[in-house]
């Protein structure tokens, strides 16, 4: 039969005659036949498919192969074996010099018939190795696309493990060498499709293996930063960047710009080539990456690179505005390049000859894209006019070209210039480059870094965003005998009301500086916070003692006495209490001691300790102490006497062993869970507190805050060298110690003990474990039996009769993040949001705080990212994913705020009486005047900067006269609608010039 088929195919009959004969052969092939005949037909069809000199022959070969794959699977599997495929991939098929280009298509065709066969795994293993080898040989775009098509259809063949990472890197190397030789539009479209298939495979791999993203980007940067004498890498590399998650952009840029191993020449080469990517028509988010890198370079003061790159590339970027397919990205990059280049008019003046031609071309295009671009371009041009005034002769043709377009007002111009200036990245550069700064679009104010003082800035911003504490501080009266608190009040007031984009906390730093801190060195923000709160607390206590003496001298009224003998503000806001109990395992005597705390330090469990088993969420009804009642025999004490006792709680040295309940998003990388995964279901939104369930155990390398709390709350056995001296036994005895929270603070501060001293290296090391952060914590508080019964009777707080515990709910409001590997180095920044209990008009409904079921999860409450002088909008998703993308950036200090309940109602009432819950507090006269004067001074500084700029140029006519002169009709010798060669463009049909 194979001879018949070959004779028919090779004959000179017309194709329609051949087709009829071939159909008969194919129909006959569907019948049973011996293995030898099958083998012969498979060899012939393979030959036709791989070496056929016409499309018709290859189609016949494909049809026959498919028939034998369907109707003779055993023979096909025997033929399509590992040895045969290895020969095809390594030696090719056909005569030397004319090897077939269809080997990969052939393999992809045959794989579908052996997927369920016993030899499938062997074939997959072979292909995993061979596709890696093929990619290392730098195949052509067409062959590389075929490889990726094969792997996309059969992902079992994608290399795994370390080979997968190498495969991604080599695939990027291949893309870097892609070139489109032809200039025909059809060939170019085919090339773009090939590139898209290759980059699409990378996206598929990255989705399933996120750990491959950063090494792939490192390889990409190595390629584009190479300074060796060779052909520039292909712009097709832009197709790789479009699939990189934008969430990791800030961290990637930060790492690049702070990498000392990257020379300025390499960085200049890399950013220059990235800017060339604006001409790639399939790229998404390319402009965002380019702008982010430019901003990152500004942040580390690499101004020489920025100047060189801007001057060499800005004309090329400008010319791409001619092409609608890349116009949007090119315009974004152009806007940033011009608005950031504020120290000199040079970059803007390079574009002056080309602007009228481009404007004429866009007007002639008459499309929505062209109209929008014209308006944005006009706004950009007017910003440059404002920034670099004094060149009427140069600007007149440009002004004439854009005279019919909208003119932005001065406030808008100042906003754009202040928002994008290089010098706005670091406040200390203001003396070198005058700039027009404005508040962040968030409305929040940053804090100037005074030399490794980010630890203080993050803590101050977290305290400021604790709205109840801020209101109380701002409400303090004059003459309160608390100098440090007064300075904090002034600092908070300026953060609230200043017009500056960032203020200096220098005065507060000098007043709150721990004496053992080294100036200019990085410090531990948790250590600073504890010192600060202790100072504020002791300062107020001292004031109370003074008033006590005045009272004894009968110089003080009863009302003033009552006011000053209450708790300090720090105790009210951050103070909690815990009960530490130690039980002798011999006589079963229990000793108790109650302690106050302002923060809880959570240690990490040993690596061999399984905390997941103790973190399952227990219903509130099941939470309660069990160990006080002695067991029937002492032997039971050696088991786990206090394991099922108490609900979780965040604490440093106090907590029972009941699991902490959590709600909200969890850090990426945890096991999927409908509550702790990517969001909360519909039912959860209706009643958030009804959705608590078991918490899935996180991966081995990941912990959660409840894990750490439960570890802290679990009983500790005191044996051997740590034996307890029992007063009843009058000797050292084995004992167990446990802590219980007896009073929950209004603001719960949790410190994750990430820094420990390594005696081997004599240095403090950092624990980089990923810790997921719940947005809501539900904690058990030990209360007296009569209180429990009262709470149960009222149906509040989920207390259970006889359990001895009530539930207190906490909302996450701030997260201080440490970026680095040591407490003596790195950087601090914080995420914060304002958690309040007020209704739409700032008051509780009907005078009663919201119940938990009424209160939404508040995921929609705006989060902010405070990073020294920079303040930006953020989200809880960013908070929870930061460590997943950047292992060195870890949550360190957490602030939770207690929701209104039985415990907190008195404090909320006090705050309401003080006016704290009725809007922003009013400031005393001296403070208001100081803020007003500083705001006026800031405006004067801006005015002075504008005058200084005007001093460099000759006097100009007033704006109305200037515009009237330029509004005169003039002869229009506009271009034909395309950019001239000087503008870096070509005719609008020059598609090849655009892409390549």
């Amino acid at each position: 039969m194979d001879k018949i088929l070959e004779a028919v195919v090779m004959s000179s009959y017309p194709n329609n005659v051949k087709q009829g004969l071939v159909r008969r052969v194919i129909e006959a092939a569907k019948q049973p036949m011996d293995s030898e005949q099958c083998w012969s037909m498979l060899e012939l069809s393979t030959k036709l498919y791989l070496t056929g000199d016409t499309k018709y022959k290859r189609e016949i070969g494909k049809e026959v192969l498919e028939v034998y794959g369907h109707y003779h699977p055993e023979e096909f599997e025997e033929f399509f074996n590992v040895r045969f495929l290895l020969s095809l991939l390594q030696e090719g098929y056909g005569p030397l010099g004319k090897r077939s280009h269809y080997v990969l298509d052939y393999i992809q065709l045959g794989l579908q018939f052996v997927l369920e066969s016993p030899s499938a795994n062997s074939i997959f293993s072979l292909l995993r190795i061979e596709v890696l080898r093929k990619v290392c040989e730098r195949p052509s775009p067409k062959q590389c696309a075929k490889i990726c098509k094969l792997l996309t259809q059969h992902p079992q063949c994608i290399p795994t493990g370390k080979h997968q990472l190498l495969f991604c890197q080599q695939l990027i190397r291949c893309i870097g060498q892609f070139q489109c030789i032809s200039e025909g539009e059809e060939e170019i479209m085919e090339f773009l499709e090939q590139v898209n298939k290759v980059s699409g495979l990378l996206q598929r791999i990255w989705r399933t293996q996120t750990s491959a993203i950063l090494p792939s980007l490192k390889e990409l940067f190595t390629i584009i930063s190479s300074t060796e004498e060779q052909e520039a890498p292909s712009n097709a590399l832009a197709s790789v960047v479009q699939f990189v998650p934008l969430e990791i952009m800030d961290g990637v840029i930060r790492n690049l710009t702070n990498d000392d191993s990257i020379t300025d020449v390499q960085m200049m080469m890399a950013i220059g080539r990235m800017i060339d990517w604006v001409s790639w028509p399939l790229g998404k988010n390319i402009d965002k990456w380019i702008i982010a890198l430019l901003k990152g370079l500004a942040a580390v003061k690499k101004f020489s690179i920025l100047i060189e790159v801007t001057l060499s590339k800005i004309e090329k970027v400008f010319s791409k505005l001619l092409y609608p397919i890349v116009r949007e990205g090119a315009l974004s990059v152009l806007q940033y390049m011009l608005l950031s280049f504020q120290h000199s008019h040079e970059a803007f003046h390079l574009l002056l000859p080309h602007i009228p031609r481009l404007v004429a071309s866009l007007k002639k295009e008459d499309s929505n894209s062209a109209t929008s671009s014209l308006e944005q371009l006009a706004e950009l041009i007017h910003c440059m006019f404002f920034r670099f005034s004094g060149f009427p002769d140069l600007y007149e043709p440009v002004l004439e070209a854009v005279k019919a377009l909208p003119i932005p007002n001065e406030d808008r111009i100042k906003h754009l210039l202040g928002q994008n200036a290089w010098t706005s990245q670091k406040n200390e550069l203001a003396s070198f480059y005058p700039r027009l700064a404005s508040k962040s679009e968030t409305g929040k104010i940053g804090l100037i870094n005074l030399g490794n003082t980010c630890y203080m800035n993050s803590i101050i911003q977290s305290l400021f965003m604790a709205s109840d504490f801020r209101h109380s501080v701002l409400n303090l009266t004059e003459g309160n005998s608390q100098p440090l608190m007064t300075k904090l009040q002034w600092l908070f007031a300026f953060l609230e009301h200043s017009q500056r984009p960032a203020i200096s906390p220098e005065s507060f730093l000098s007043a709150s500086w721990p004496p053992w801190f080294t100036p200019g060195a990085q410090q531990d923000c948790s250590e600073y916070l504890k010192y600060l709160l202790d100072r504020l607390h002791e300062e107020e206590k001292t004031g109370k003692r003074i008033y006590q003496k005045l009272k004894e001298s009968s110089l003080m009224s009863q009302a003033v006495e009552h006011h000053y003998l209450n708790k300090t503000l720090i105790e009210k806001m951050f103070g909690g209490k815990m009960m530490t109990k130690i039980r002798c395992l011999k006589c079963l005597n229990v000793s108790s001691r109650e302690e106050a705390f302002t923060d809880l330090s959570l240690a990490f469990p040993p690596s061999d300790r399984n905390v997941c088993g103790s973190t399952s969420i227990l219903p509130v009804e099941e939470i309660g102490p069990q160990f006080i009642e002695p067991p029937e025999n002492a032997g039971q004490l050696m088991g786990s006497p206090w394991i099922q006792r108490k609900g979780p709680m965040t604490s440093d040295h106090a907590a029972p062993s009941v699991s902490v309940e959590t709600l909200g998003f969890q850090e990426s990388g945890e096991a999927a869970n409908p509550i702790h995964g990517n969001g909360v279901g519909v039912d959860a939104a209706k009643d958030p507190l009804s959705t608590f369930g078991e918490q899935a155990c996180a991966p081995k390398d990941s912990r959660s805050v409840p894990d750490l709390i439960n570890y802290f709350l679990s009983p500790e056995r005191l044996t051997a060298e740590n034996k307890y001296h029992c007063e009843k036994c009058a000797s050292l005895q084995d004992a167990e110690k446990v802590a219980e929270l007896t009073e929950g603070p209004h603001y719960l501060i949790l410190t994750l003990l990430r820094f420990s001293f390594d005696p081997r290296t004599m240095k403090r090391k950092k624990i980089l474990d990923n810790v997921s952060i719940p947005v809501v914590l539900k904690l058990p508080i030990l209360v007296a039996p009569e209180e429990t019964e009262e709470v149960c009777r009222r149906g509040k707080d989920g207390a259970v009769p006889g359990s001895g515990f009530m539930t207190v709910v906490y909302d996450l409001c701030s997260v201080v993040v440490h970026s680095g590997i040591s407490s003596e180095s790195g950087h601090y920044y914080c995420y914060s949001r304002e958690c309040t209990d007020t209704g739409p008009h700032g008051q509780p409904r009907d005078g009663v705080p919201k119940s938990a079921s009424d209160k939404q999860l508040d995921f929609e409450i705006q989060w902010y990212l405070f990073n020294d002088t920079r303040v930006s909008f953020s989200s809880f998703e960013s908070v929870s994913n930061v460590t997943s993308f950047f292992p060195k950036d870890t949550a360190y200090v957490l602030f939770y705020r207690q929701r209104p309940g039985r415990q907190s109602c008195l404090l909320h009432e006090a705050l309401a009486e003080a006016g704290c819950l009725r809007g922003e507090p009013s400031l005393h006269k001296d403070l208001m005047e100081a803020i007003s004067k500083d705001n006026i001074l800031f405006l004067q500084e801006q005015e002075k900067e504008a005058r200084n700029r005007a001093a460099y140029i000759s006097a100009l006519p007033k704006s109305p006269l200037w515009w009237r002169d330029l509004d005169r009709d003039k002869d229009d010798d506009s271009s034909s609608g395309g950019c001239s060669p000087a503008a870096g463009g070509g005719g609008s049909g020059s598609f090849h010039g655009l892409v390549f």
Side-chain angles (χ1 to χ4, degrees):
M1 188 179 295
D2 58 300
K3 300 296 183 184
I4 296 174
L5 179 62
E6 185 174 16
V8 170
V9 173
M10 300 300 178
S11 69
S12 59
Y13 293 122
N15 283 349
N16 60 339
V17 177
K18 291 182 184 180
Q19 190 64 30
L21 297 172
V22 168
R23 298 259 33 108
R24 294 184 181 182
V25 173
I26 290 177
E27 288 299 321
K30 297 178 180 179
Q31 306 303 318
M33 62 178 64
D34 59 67
S35 297
E36 184 178 352
Q37 185 60 49
C38 283
W39 195 278
S40 299
M41 288 294 288
L42 287 169
E43 285 184 332
L44 175 61
S45 57
T46 298
K47 178 181 177 182
L48 289 173
Y49 187 88
L50 291 175
T51 61
D53 54 2
T54 64
K55 184 178 181 181
Y56 174 75
K57 292 179 181 179
R58 292 193 297 275
E59 287 293 334
I60 295 300
K62 178 182 178 182
E63 278 193 75
V64 175
L65 284 169
E66 290 175 338
V67 168
Y68 277 84
H70 280 296
Y71 293 95
H72 305 282
E74 294 181 1
E75 288 80 4
F76 188 90
E77 180 185 347
E78 182 182 357
F79 178 81
F80 199 79
N81 59 65
V82 172
R83 181 173 296 182
F84 174 56
L85 296 181
L86 180 62
S87 173
L88 284 179
L89 290 166
Q90 292 191 352
E91 300 174 13
Y93 191 95
L96 288 175
K98 294 185 178 181
R99 296 297 192 191
S100 173
H101 298 295
Y102 300 99
V103 168
L104 292 169
D105 306 87
Y106 176 82
I107 293 175
Q108 182 177 343
L109 175 65
L111 273 179
Q112 61 183 310
F113 303 112
V114 298
L115 293 177
E116 306 297 330
S117 68
S119 62
N121 287 334
S122 299
I123 293 175
F124 295 154
S125 298
L126 169 69
L127 290 175
R128 290 187 199 111
I129 297 173
E130 285 301 304
V131 294
L132 177 58
R133 182 185 61 81
K134 283 279 188 184
V135 169
C136 291
E137 293 175 353
R138 305 290 181 265
S140 66
K142 187 174 184 178
Q143 290 299 308
C144 201
K146 287 183 177 182
I147 292 174
C148 295
K149 182 181 178 182
L150 169 66
L151 298 183
T152 301
Q153 185 170 341
H154 301 287
Q156 308 97 317
C157 303
I158 297 176
T160 57
K162 294 182 178 178
H163 286 169
Q164 187 178 86
L165 180 57
L166 180 60
F167 178 76
C168 291
Q169 292 173 325
Q170 293 301 318
L171 207 56
I172 292 173
R173 286 273 174 189
C174 283
I175 298 175
Q177 295 188 6
F178 284 177
Q179 298 296 335
C180 184
I181 301 175
S182 174
E183 295 189 11
E185 186 169 333
E186 185 176 339
E187 289 80 5
I188 291 174
M189 295 305 297
E190 182 182 2
F191 173 75
L192 295 176
E193 184 179 354
Q194 292 164 356
V195 173
N196 209 32
K197 285 181 180 178
V198 179
S199 58
L201 177 63
L202 278 172
Q203 180 192 27
R204 183 190 183 102
I205 294 175
W206 289 348
R207 280 177 175 173
T208 58
Q209 195 67 36
T210 56
S211 60
I213 298 178
L214 292 181
S216 300
L217 290 182
K218 184 176 181 181
E219 190 71 18
L220 174 64
F221 186 81
T222 300
I223 295 171
I224 63 175
S225 63
S226 174
T227 57
E228 298 177 5
E229 291 294 331
Q230 58 182 11
E231 190 174 0
S234 172
N235 281 351
L237 286 171
S239 65
V240 175
V241 178
Q242 66 179 326
F243 295 124
V244 180
L246 292 179
E247 291 83 0
I248 71 171
M249 181 167 65
D250 288 345
V252 169
I253 298 301
R254 185 169 60 247
N255 291 339
L256 277 179
T257 54
N258 287 281
D259 190 341
D260 293 335
S261 66
I262 300 174
T263 66
D264 286 357
V265 176
Q266 289 175 319
M267 185 62 76
M268 193 179 304
M269 189 70 70
I271 185 60
R273 287 168 173 167
M274 284 181 67
I275 291 174
D276 289 341
W277 292 350
V278 297
S279 63
W280 184 255
L282 297 179
K284 296 178 182 178
N285 299 324
I286 303 301
D287 56 321
K288 294 181 176 64
W289 282 92
I290 294 171
I291 292 171
L293 184 52
L294 291 171
K295 287 183 176 179
L297 291 171
V300 294
K301 306 179 186 180
K302 297 287 186 179
F303 298 117
S304 59
I305 296 177
L306 290 167
I307 292 170
E308 183 67 27
V309 167
T310 301
L311 294 179
S312 63
K313 294 293 183 180
I314 196 165
E315 288 179 279
K316 184 171 185 179
V317 173
F318 182 82
S319 71
K320 301 309 173 187
L321 299 181
L322 182 65
Y323 304 95
I325 195 171
V326 297
R327 183 176 292 151
E328 183 180 357
L331 184 57
S332 295
V333 175
L334 179 72
Q335 285 175 323
Y336 180 76
M337 292 176 80
L338 274 181
L339 290 172
S340 62
F341 201 93
Q342 293 188 31
H343 68 283
S344 166
H345 53 71
E346 190 174 1
F348 177 52
H349 285 190
L350 285 174
L351 303 180
L352 293 179
H354 317 306
I355 291 176
R357 294 190 181 97
L358 178 66
V359 170
S361 178
L362 291 176
K363 287 180 178 178
K364 188 175 295 186
E365 184 180 312
D366 192 25
S367 67
N368 290 336
S369 169
T371 301
S372 174
S373 297
L374 274 172
E375 292 177 356
Q376 294 179 66
L377 184 62
E379 182 177 70
L380 186 59
I381 290 170
H382 285 295
C383 286
M384 295 297 99
F385 286 165
F386 181 89
R387 182 67 184 87
F388 306 115
S389 56
F391 302 92
D393 293 339
L394 288 176
Y395 293 167
E396 185 175 343
V398 177
L399 198 53
E400 178 66 24
V402 300
K403 67 180 181 180
L405 297 171
I407 303 171
N409 59 42
E410 190 170 321
D411 289 339
R412 171 66 176 168
I413 291 175
K414 288 183 177 181
H415 173 74
L416 290 173
L417 291 173
Q419 190 179 45
N420 293 279
W422 290 338
T423 51
S424 67
Q425 303 294 322
K426 290 292 181 180
N427 185 275
E428 63 266 21
L429 295 182
S431 59
F432 297 98
Y433 300 106
R435 68 187 180 94
L436 294 167
S438 62
K439 261 190 180 181
S440 160
E441 61 181 354
T442 64
K444 304 296 182 183
I445 297 175
L447 290 169
I448 296 171
N449 191 315
L450 302 173
N452 279 328
T453 58
C454 54
Y455 66 91
M456 178 190 69
N457 291 348
S458 298
I459 292 299
I460 290 175
Q461 294 285 20
S462 297
L463 292 175
F464 177 79
M465 293 296 285
S467 54
D468 298 333
F469 177 65
R470 178 179 75 244
H471 291 159
S472 298
V473 171
L474 292 176
N475 268 315
L476 290 175
T477 57
E478 294 182 84
N480 52 45
S481 301
Q482 300 177 58
L484 183 58
M485 186 67 83
T486 300
K487 286 186 178 294
L488 182 62
Q489 181 187 43
W490 280 61
L491 182 57
F492 277 6
F494 273 80
L495 285 174
E496 187 81 37
H497 300 289
S498 177
Q499 294 300 314
R500 296 181 182 272
I503 60 176
S504 172
E506 185 174 3
S507 176
F508 187 77
L509 174 65
S510 60
S512 64
W513 182 275
W516 60 90
F517 276 16
T518 303
Q522 185 62 278
Q523 306 293 342
D524 188 327
C525 75
S526 174
E527 187 178 1
Y528 174 77
L529 174 61
K530 291 176 183 178
Y531 176 80
L532 175 60
L533 296 182
D534 186 60
R535 278 277 310 276
L536 293 171
H537 170 68
E538 292 298 328
E539 187 178 78
E540 187 173 351
K541 280 176 61 179
T542 301
K544 291 181 184 296
R545 285 195 293 269
I546 293 174
Y547 278 92
Q548 179 65 25
K549 291 182 179 180
L550 291 175
K551 175 220 171 186
E552 293 171 357
S553 302
S554 300
L555 297 177
M556 185 175 173
S557 68
Q558 287 186 351
V560 176
E561 173 189 351
H562 175 75
H563 173 78
Y564 279 96
L565 293 182
N566 280 335
K567 288 182 177 180
T568 68
L569 178 59
I570 299 303
E571 288 176 315
K572 293 175 184 176
M573 291 294 169
F574 305 104
K577 292 181 180 179
M578 65 179 74
M579 182 75 72
T580 302
K581 300 179 180 180
I582 301 179
R583 180 177 55 181
C584 175
L585 295 183
K586 181 178 180 181
C587 69
L588 304 182
N589 181 58
V590 177
S591 64
S592 303
R593 184 183 71 224
E594 190 172 53
E595 299 173 294
F597 67 87
T598 54
D599 81 301
L600 300 176
S601 300
L602 304 180
F604 283 72
S607 57
D608 58 348
R609 166 139 183 179
N610 180 15
V611 294
C612 290
S614 63
T615 58
S616 62
I617 302 307
L618 300 180
V620 176
E621 298 79 53
E622 297 179 20
I623 296 177
Q626 305 293 332
F627 75 95
I628 297 301
E629 295 76 20
E632 295 181 2
N633 59 74
Q636 293 179 349
L637 293 172
M638 302 308 293
S640 54
W642 306 353
I643 294 304
Q644 295 282 332
R645 282 188 324 97
K646 183 167 53 174
M649 173 183 68
T650 46
S651 83
D652 179 347
H653 299 297
S657 60
V658 179
S659 307
V660 178
E661 302 190 20
T662 65
L663 182 65
F665 297 105
Q666 299 295 315
E667 198 121 6
S668 61
E670 293 190 0
N673 183 290
I675 296 176
H676 305 292
N678 295 325
V680 178
V682 175
D683 293 339
K686 296 177 182 176
D687 187 1
L689 299 184
S690 68
T691 62
F692 291 120
E694 291 190 0
Q695 177 184 358
C697 288
K700 292 182 179 179
D701 60 345
S702 177
R703 307 276 191 185
S704 68
V705 170
D707 289 340
L708 304 188
I709 296 173
N710 287 324
Y711 174 64
F712 178 78
L713 300 180
S714 60
E716 177 185 359
R717 187 66 58 91
L718 304 178
T719 60
E721 296 180 356
N722 293 325
K723 282 189 176 184
Y724 166 67
H725 185 273
C726 177
E727 294 182 359
K728 190 173 182 180
C729 298
S731 62
L732 293 174
Q733 297 292 337
D734 288 346
E736 281 189 323
K737 181 173 73 172
V738 70
E740 296 171 329
L741 196 65
T742 57
E743 182 179 325
H746 185 64
Y747 282 101
L748 177 65
I749 301 175
L750 305 178
T751 300
L752 310 187
L753 297 179
R754 293 188 173 277
F755 302 115
S756 60
F757 183 76
D758 188 347
R760 292 175 301 176
T761 60
M762 300 300 290
K763 293 181 179 179
R764 293 181 73 189
K765 64 179 182 179
K766 180 180 178 181
I767 300 172
L768 295 173
D769 289 7
N770 192 1
V771 177
S772 62
I773 306 169
V775 73
V776 176
L777 281 177
K778 219 175 149 187
L779 308 179
I781 305 297
L782 182 66
V783 295
E786 59 274 14
E787 290 180 304
T788 306
E789 293 176 5
E790 175 66 15
V791 172
C792 292
R793 186 174 61 80
R794 295 183 182 181
K796 293 183 180 179
D797 297 311
V800 178
S803 70
F805 284 86
M806 60 176 285
T807 298
V808 176
V809 180
Y810 282 91
D811 296 298
L812 180 68
C813 52
S814 289
V815 178
V816 178
V817 177
H818 178 263
S819 176
I821 58 174
S822 167
S823 62
E824 289 84 17
S825 62
H827 178 63
Y828 288 99
Y829 55 92
C830 76
Y831 294 92
S832 290
R833 64 172 182 165
E834 292 202 53
C835 296
T836 60
D837 307 307
T838 56
H841 303 291
Q843 299 206 12
R845 294 176 307 176
D846 304 325
V848 179
K850 292 184 187 179
S851 68
S853 60
D854 294 326
K855 184 180 175 75
Q856 295 298 318
L857 288 179
D858 290 338
F859 288 125
E860 69 276 8
I861 293 180
Q862 182 63 60
W863 283 85
Y864 301 93
L865 174 58
F866 294 90
N867 191 347
D868 289 336
T869 57
R870 303 176 67 179
V871 186
S872 58
F873 291 116
S874 190
S875 66
F876 183 69
E877 184 179 6
S878 177
V879 179
S880 58
N881 288 334
V882 63
T883 307
S884 300
F885 289 119
F886 309 106
K888 294 180 183 179
D889 292 25
T890 54
Y892 184 38
V893 179
L894 313 178
F895 288 73
Y896 281 88
R897 180 184 182 275
Q898 185 182 144
R899 287 188 186 176
R902 187 198 62 81
Q903 267 211 345
S904 61
C905 62
L906 294 178
L907 176 59
H908 282 269
E909 290 173 5
L911 290 173
E913 290 175 6
C916 296
L917 297 181
R918 300 197 184 101
E920 295 301 326
S922 59
L923 306 177
H924 59 78
K925 182 179 178 182
D926 289 348
L927 186 49
M928 292 177 64
E929 288 181 356
I931 294 172
S932 178
K933 288 180 180 179
D934 185 71
N935 286 338
I936 294 173
L937 177 62
F938 175 65
L939 295 176
Q940 290 173 342
E941 290 171 357
Q942 301 305 296
E943 184 180 356
K944 182 179 179 181
E945 287 181 9
R947 285 201 304 268
N948 289 340
R949 287 194 302 274
Y952 290 103
I953 56 177
S954 57
L956 294 174
K958 291 189 180 295
S959 295
L961 299 176
W962 189 16
W963 284 102
R964 193 180 307 149
D965 290 339
L966 292 174
D967 280 342
R968 292 175 301 175
D969 293 331
K970 296 183 179 180
D971 294 334
D972 184 12
D973 57 349
S974 59
S975 67
S976 60
C979 287
S980 69
S988 60
S990 179
F991 192 68
H992 186 275
L994 164 67
V995 182
F996 313 107

